[in-house]
């Protein structure tokens, strides 16, 4: 089921999430809904708080549905290693229309559990490394705009407020 994406500045996006403890049918359903909602919004990653669920859970597919093997479920993810630097433009489904350059590592190794609770570990580079960092940030209440200069962040905040007032957000 496609869920509406929660937009900034919803409080749920600023909260640290509790760990996933129960790997049951309900969790699998939530994961399916997250993939469906992410594909509908044409995103490469989605964290549970973005559909209003405060839970340490995210999904990523950098092929946007083209390769089923690229579907990653990140329950209780942790970055175990990172190296290098990349500075690319980044956006977020919770901040539609806004982008900014964010410094991230070029290589990121993540350890997480899948929807069945099985542990996996993977090294990602480029866009995948960036997606790992972006989605894990979400699980700690951090958005990409938190990595921008205060000036740029305030500009985005003001534009969002204007859009809200105009009923366009
Ligand atoms: Ni995001």
């Amino acid at each position: 089921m496609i869920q509406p994406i929660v937009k900034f500045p919803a409080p749920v996006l600023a909260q640290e999430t509790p760990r996933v403890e129960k790997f049951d049918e309900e969790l699998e359903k939530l994961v399916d809904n997250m993939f469906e909602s992410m594909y509908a919004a044409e995103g490469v990653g989605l964290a549970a708080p973005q559909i209003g669920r405060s839970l340490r859970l995210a999904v990523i597919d950098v092929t946007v549905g083209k390769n089923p093997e690229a579907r990653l479920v990140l329950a209780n993810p942790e970055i175990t290693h990172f190296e290098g630097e990349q500075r690319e433009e980044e956006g977020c489904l919770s901040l539609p229309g806004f982008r900014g350059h964010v410094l991230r590592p070029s290589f990121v190794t993540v350890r997480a559990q899948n929807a069945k609770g099985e542990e996996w570990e993977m090294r990602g580079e480029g866009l995948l490394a960036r997606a790992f960092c972006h989605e894990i940030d979400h699980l700690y209440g951090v958005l990409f705009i938190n990595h921008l200069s205060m000036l740029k962040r305030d500009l985005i905040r003001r534009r969002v407020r204007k859009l809200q007032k105009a009923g366009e957000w």
Side-chain angles (χ1 to χ4, degrees):
M1 201 165 64
I2 296 171
Q3 310 276 327
I5 308 286
V6 173
K7 285 185 202 162
F8 172 83
V12 69
L13 295 175
Q15 286 163 9
E16 186 173 340
T17 55
R19 289 178 60 85
V20 178
E21 303 284 0
K22 264 180 150 177
F23 292 88
D24 54 7
E25 232 173 82
E26 202 188 313
L27 186 79
E28 291 198 32
K29 217 175 274 172
L30 175 61
V31 164
D32 286 344
N33 288 345
M34 286 172 64
F35 274 114
E36 230 182 296
S37 309
M38 179 182 78
Y39 292 137
E42 291 175 22
V44 297
L46 186 77
Q50 292 183 279
I51 56 165
R53 290 288 302 271
S54 191
L55 201 58
R56 197 153 303 174
L57 177 70
V59 296
I60 289 176
D61 178 357
V62 291
T63 73
V64 202
K66 288 193 189 95
N67 178 6
E69 284 172 22
R71 287 165 65 111
L72 295 174
V73 176
L74 294 80
N76 306 322
E78 268 175 67
I79 292 174
T80 56
H81 183 78
F82 63 89
E83 59 186 276
E85 281 184 355
Q86 54 167 324
R87 194 180 175 84
E88 298 289 338
E89 233 187 19
E90 209 165 299
C92 179
L93 294 177
S94 294
L95 277 152
F98 295 101
R99 300 184 71 78
H101 283 87
V102 181
L103 187 67
R104 303 283 194 188
S106 339
F107 297 92
V108 175
T109 306
V110 163
R111 188 187 299 150
Q113 287 163 281
N114 64 19
K116 291 187 164 63
E118 298 156 346
E119 216 171 75
W120 58 268
E121 193 167 38
M122 187 190 274
R123 178 176 153 100
E125 67 172 289
L127 179 60
L128 182 56
R130 172 170 296 282
F132 279 158
C133 295
H134 181 109
E135 298 314 324
I136 291 172
D137 266 359
H138 268 298
L139 306 181
Y140 291 89
V142 175
L143 301 178
F144 83 90
I145 57 168
N146 296 109
H147 294 288
L148 304 179
S149 68
M150 215 192 284
L151 198 75
K152 281 183 191 157
R153 196 161 59 234
D154 284 346
L155 189 71
I156 291 176
R157 279 212 189 98
R158 277 205 300 276
R159 286 201 187 139
V160 167
R161 267 201 293 272
K162 249 188 210 167
L163 287 168
Q164 278 178 317
K165 272 186 196 154
E168 290 164 10
W169 186 256

